[in-house]
Each structure stands twice: as C-alpha cells, then as structure tokens.
Amino acid sequence: MKMSKENEKKIVNDGKKHITVAMQGGGAHGAFTWGVLDRLLEEKDLVIEGVSGASAGGMNAVCTAQGIMEGGNEGARAMLKKYWDINSEAGKSSIFKPGVLDVLAGKYTMHNSPGFVFYDFLCKILSPYQMNPLGLNPLKDIVKELFDFDKLNEFDGVRIFLSATHVYTGKIKVFSNIRKELSVDTMLATACLPTIFNAVMVKGEYYWDGGYTGNPVMYPLIYDCNPQDILLIKLNPTHRNRLPITAGEIGDRMNEITNNTSIMREMRSMHFIGKLEDEKIIQPGTLKRMYVHLIEDEEVFQDLGWSSKLNTDKEFLKHLFDAGRVAADKWMTKNYDKIGKETTANLEEEFI
C-alpha cells in the first residue's frame, strides 16, 4: 500500500492532526455522520485532507470538501447544516413519514407508515422505469444548488472519492476530483438506489449506488492521500443482539450485511499489513502503515430499519445529529492524542 507517485502531495509538517475520513451511506442515517463531522470540525488543529463516501456518505463528503474550500472548518460545518436543512425542508411534502403507531411507540421507523408501506409494495412489482419513466430525481436540484463542481475539481486541499457500482460489470467505480470527475451525474450515481431511481449514465456507462461495492471505499485514501490516519464513520450495525425473524427484519439485516461487506475486506487488509510489520515479517516502511479509527454508536441504530433511511423528519435528523456529536466527543476525549501514533479501532473484534 504505497501512494501513487502521480498523485503524491507535499507533506506539511505544521504540528496539526492530519487525517482522512471515510463515510458510510445510509440515507437519512447520514445525519449521524453530520453530527460527527460537526464535532470534529470544531478542532482548529484537525486537518481533513481526504474524504471518501457512498450515497449519503458521498453527500457529506462533498459538503465537507466544499465548505473547507470556501471557509475552512467553520465553512464545512455551515455547508453540512445547509445540506441537511434543505433535506429536512424537502421532506415536509414527502409521503415517507412515521405512522401513528410508530409515533406512539416513540420510534422513527416507518413500518406503519401508509405512504411507505404502499410505496414498498409498489417497488416489489414495478421498477423505477415504470413508476418514474421521466427519471426524475429530487436530489438533482439540491446537488445543483449546493455544489460548485468546477471549483471542486480544481481544489486539491481536500481530495474527494465517491464510489458507485457499474451496472453491467458489478465493479466499483471511484469518481474523484483528482481526475476532475465530479459532477451532478457522479453525485447522483453514488446515491442511485436501483429500486427507487433509474440508473445514472456517466460518460455512456450506467451506475447504481456505491454502497454495494464500496461503502465507503478506503483504498484511495491510502494510495492518493498523505495522512496515515483513516477515520471511518460507520452507520450500519455490524452486530445484532437478536435473530431477525420477520420479513422486514430479515430484509433489514441483509441490507446491513451487504453494506458492510466491502469495508470488512479493506479493514482486514489494513489489519494484515499492520500485523506483518508488528511481527517483523516485513520491514517498517515497506508498505504504508495505516492507523485506523472508528466512530459509531450501534445502539442508536439497533431499533432502526431500512424504512427509517427515508425519514427526513426534522426531529429524527436532529436526534441522529446529536447522537453523532456525542459519539464524536467521546472518541475525541479518549483518542485525539493518538492520531498519528496508533490505531484506536478494535479491528479484530469489529471486522475480523
């Protein structure tokens, strides 16, 4: 694992903490990532040099990069808030709202939402090409309004990597500002759920959501960025505390496992490299040693299923944002001084 020579950046020794951040996708659950980032960006000595994301993680990644480009860490905090406020406002007219029974139970799921239940049924018998022949995508207007892709593609202060899945080959595709590939279409491609949206064409090729093949992709943060520290913000629970037995629970668990598969592979690789070096099988410096960090709160997501990923109710987003800030603050208190020195994630317990 060495940096690509053609993409090598000058290493800056300024006494600050330089990291890269990988962000999982998960629809509205991405508001947890917003909370984590909001807390991290309060640290003036923390420098984010690279971001990687899929779906909602990709949106958070580009918000972070554009905000830093325009106004440093505070600019990123403002941009992230603006993005999620717009989503919350747009969601007021959505049919995806918790049902009465969900509300009475104090949950944010939509298992009893008439709008979600009806739409979920339609998705099982009709494709998006039948339900949405014009290929309308509500994200398109938001992306056009918020992001300046001309400037982002010229900006090297934060390197951006968005994963998408090539429909024909099933291979991962990484769009990056290094190669000046960011656009409205690449943003829509990384967040294209094939049961909801028509496949997105980019330069004659069709793409679906990046969560299937890289949720998020981390190897570009190793090859094409300087920092040795990767921070993963994880949304999909690795562990479940009970057996899923209903059709909805089984579907939710399959979704979680599928969306965690790619990061497990990459985490195992990084763990293996570190082990080879620790056991002196390879000499230090032979391969790039990565320090891996993890911020998550599986308890927050234990009672949430796939349906809640479509819930953009302001109260729900605020709940996740607050939980993200708390999780980040706990991690910072315990591990901030270890950045640049050691891995703080328990990789064996979490991914091996």
Side-chain angles (χ1 to χ4, degrees):
M1 293 183 182
K2 285 186 176 290
M3 177 178 287
S4 306
K5 285 293 181 184
E6 65 272 19
N7 292 326
E8 199 165 346
K9 286 178 68 177
K10 183 179 178 181
I11 296 176
V12 178
N13 296 313
D14 55 6
K16 296 184 177 183
K17 304 281 190 182
H18 291 253
I19 66 170
T20 60
V21 184
M23 313 174 202
Q24 274 201 323
H29 292 187
F32 178 88
T33 300
W34 167 32
V36 171
L37 290 167
D38 189 73
R39 174 63 188 90
L40 294 177
L41 291 161
E42 287 182 344
E43 300 297 321
K44 293 181 173 55
D45 288 336
L46 188 71
V47 179
I48 297 175
E49 286 196 25
V51 289
S52 175
S55 199
M59 300 296 166
N60 280 325
V62 178
C63 281
T64 302
Q66 176 148 324
I68 289 173
M69 177 178 69
E70 295 177 343
N73 284 10
E74 286 303 311
R77 295 180 70 200
M79 178 60 73
L80 284 159
K81 183 179 187 304
K82 183 176 182 181
Y83 171 77
W84 286 100
D85 283 349
I86 289 174
N87 272 276
S88 176
E89 190 63 30
K92 288 181 178 179
S93 58
S94 171
I95 63 170
F96 302 129
K97 295 184 181 299
V100 174
L101 293 178
D102 296 313
V103 173
L104 290 175
K107 296 183 178 181
Y108 297 102
T109 56
M110 293 191 286
H111 301 315
N112 300 291
S113 162
F116 174 77
V117 171
F118 179 65
Y119 189 81
D120 189 47
F121 169 75
L122 286 181
C123 285
K124 289 178 171 61
I125 58 174
L126 297 174
S127 81
Y129 296 90
Q130 294 169 300
M131 289 193 288
N132 182 15
L134 297 178
L136 301 177
N137 189 327
L139 267 178
K140 191 169 187 175
D141 289 337
I142 296 174
V143 168
K144 278 184 174 181
E145 176 186 345
L146 282 183
F147 303 124
D148 188 333
F149 296 109
D150 290 335
K151 288 184 178 178
L152 283 167
N153 282 322
E154 297 297 330
F155 180 56
D156 197 41
V158 181
R159 293 187 166 183
I160 306 166
F161 306 96
L162 305 178
S163 57
T165 302
H166 192 278
V167 177
Y168 292 168
T169 66
K171 293 180 180 179
I172 189 170
K173 169 66 178 177
V174 181
F175 298 107
S176 175
N177 60 340
I178 292 178
R179 296 179 294 275
K180 306 186 188 310
E181 295 172 320
L182 299 189
S183 67
V184 172
D185 287 338
T186 56
M187 289 290 287
L188 297 182
T190 190
C192 178
L193 288 172
T195 57
I196 297 178
F197 302 117
N198 298 351
V200 177
M201 180 184 283
V202 181
K203 293 185 177 179
E205 303 291 336
Y206 288 102
Y207 296 96
W208 283 341
D209 195 290
Y212 301 113
T213 49
N215 190 26
V217 62
M218 286 183 280
Y219 66 82
L221 299 176
I222 302 170
Y223 297 140
D224 298 321
C225 297
N226 281 329
Q228 285 185 269
D229 293 78
I230 291 181
L231 170 62
L232 170 65
I233 305 173
K234 189 164 163 290
L235 304 179
N236 292 299
T238 301
H239 306 283
R240 278 287 172 186
N241 51 24
R242 60 187 175 85
L243 181 70
I245 56 175
T246 68
E249 289 172 345
I250 292 169
D252 287 341
R253 188 59 183 149
M254 288 172 62
N255 180 270
E256 289 167 355
I257 291 171
T258 300
N259 279 276
N260 280 338
T261 299
S262 63
I263 61 167
M264 286 190 170
R265 288 197 302 264
E266 292 199 83
M267 287 295 193
R268 285 170 182 157
S269 297
M270 285 186 277
H271 176 69
F272 181 63
I273 297 295
K275 220 172 162 190
L276 290 177
E277 191 172 303
D278 290 342
E279 295 175 2
K280 299 186 173 19
I281 297 172
I282 61 173
Q283 292 297 314
T286 303
L287 297 171
K288 186 178 179 182
R289 177 73 179 266
M290 301 304 298
Y291 301 126
V292 186
H293 313 283
L294 174 66
I295 296 179
E296 64 176 347
D297 187 342
E298 295 213 339
E299 198 59 39
V300 170
F301 298 101
Q302 282 293 323
D303 291 329
L304 299 177
W306 183 85
S307 67
S308 64
K309 293 182 179 182
L310 300 176
N311 181 4
T312 57
D313 181 76
K314 186 175 182 178
E315 181 186 348
F316 180 45
L317 298 184
K318 178 69 163 52
H319 165 72
L320 292 175
F321 170 83
D322 290 342
R325 278 193 58 91
V326 169
D329 195 64
K330 287 180 180 177
W331 184 88
M332 295 281 283
T333 300
K334 185 178 180 181
N335 299 304
Y336 186 73
D337 291 337
K338 298 175 184 177
I339 295 174
K341 299 175 182 177
E342 62 183 273
T343 287
T344 62
N346 189 335
L347 299 184
E348 289 197 2
E349 180 180 318
E350 189 76 28
F351 302 106
I352 308 302

